[in-house]
Structures are given as structure tokens and as C-alpha cells.
Amino acid sequence: MPKMTFIERDGTRKEVDAPLGLSVLEIAHKHGVDIEGACEGSLACSTCHVVVDGAWFGKLASPTEDEEDMLDLAFDLQETSRLGCQIIMTEALDGLVVKLPSATRNALG
């Protein structure tokens, strides 16, 4: 099974099983990683914002315009920021590393 690593807010690295076809948000929830996902992956918030490790960013599908619009609302936006609900695990992403931002902004709040 593919694996991925979350770098939590305190810097702790957590390597987890990452089933094919699940989103990074779903994988995080499955393993108790602290990502909110307030809109449950419907592209209506930015609370599943993750910063993708630079070595992996180019391997992701390009973000949609809707994802880019939501990312504009994310706290501490980085060049390699993506929404976890929009990154779907594939064999090519085995080993993916993402970092949780220091905080989130929940406009749904």
C-alpha cells in the first residue's frame, strides 16, 4: 500500500498508509491527523490547506480554478499550497510529504 507523510504543526513527522483513491483529507482523518476539512471536501473552505513538499508538488495534477479561489482564503499561503481534499492518492504519489500550516482560517465558522 502507498504511504505518505504528514508533518504536523509541531514538526512531528507521521508516516501513514495512504489507500489509493482517497484524498489527503480523507487519509488525514483516517489516521487522526489534525486537519479540519469543515466543508467535507466540497471546495467551500480552505481548512484542509496543506503545504506540499517541493519535491512532490510537480507530480500533482494542476489545481482547478475553484481550488485556486479557495486557496486565496487560506492562512499562510505558500508557493506549494494545495487543498488536501483535492489531492487524490495514486501510485505515483507513494511517499508524498505534506506539511500542515501553523493555523487555518475557517470562513464557514
Side-chain angles (χ1 to χ4, degrees):
M1 174 174 301
K3 304 264 189 210
M4 70 168 292
T5 300
F6 290 94
I7 302 174
E8 302 201 56
R9 288 178 182 84
D10 66 1
T12 303
R13 295 177 72 88
K14 183 173 189 174
E15 184 179 285
V16 299
D17 287 336
L20 296 174
L22 290 187
S23 70
V24 167
L25 175 62
E26 292 167 317
I27 294 165
H29 286 170
K30 181 178 172 72
H31 295 287
V33 175
D34 185 26
I35 295 180
E36 185 176 351
C39 75
E40 299 177 357
S42 64
L43 267 177
C45 76
S46 63
T47 60
C48 66
H49 168 219
V50 295
V51 179
V52 178
D53 181 272
W56 289 97
F57 189 74
K59 298 179 183 192
L60 301 178
S62 297
T64 64
E65 189 174 324
D66 288 341
E67 181 182 358
E68 288 178 343
D69 288 346
M70 285 296 107
L71 279 168
D72 286 342
L73 305 174
F75 180 84
D76 194 23
L77 193 62
Q78 306 286 315
E79 225 176 274
T80 60
S81 289
R82 293 293 301 268
L83 296 181
C85 68
Q86 298 301 297
I87 302 171
I88 306 302
M89 197 64 189
T90 65
E91 288 284 356
L93 295 180
D94 185 10
L96 176 67
V97 178
V98 301
K99 183 176 188 229
L100 304 185
S102 60
T104 62
R105 182 175 293 137
N106 185 353
L108 292 179

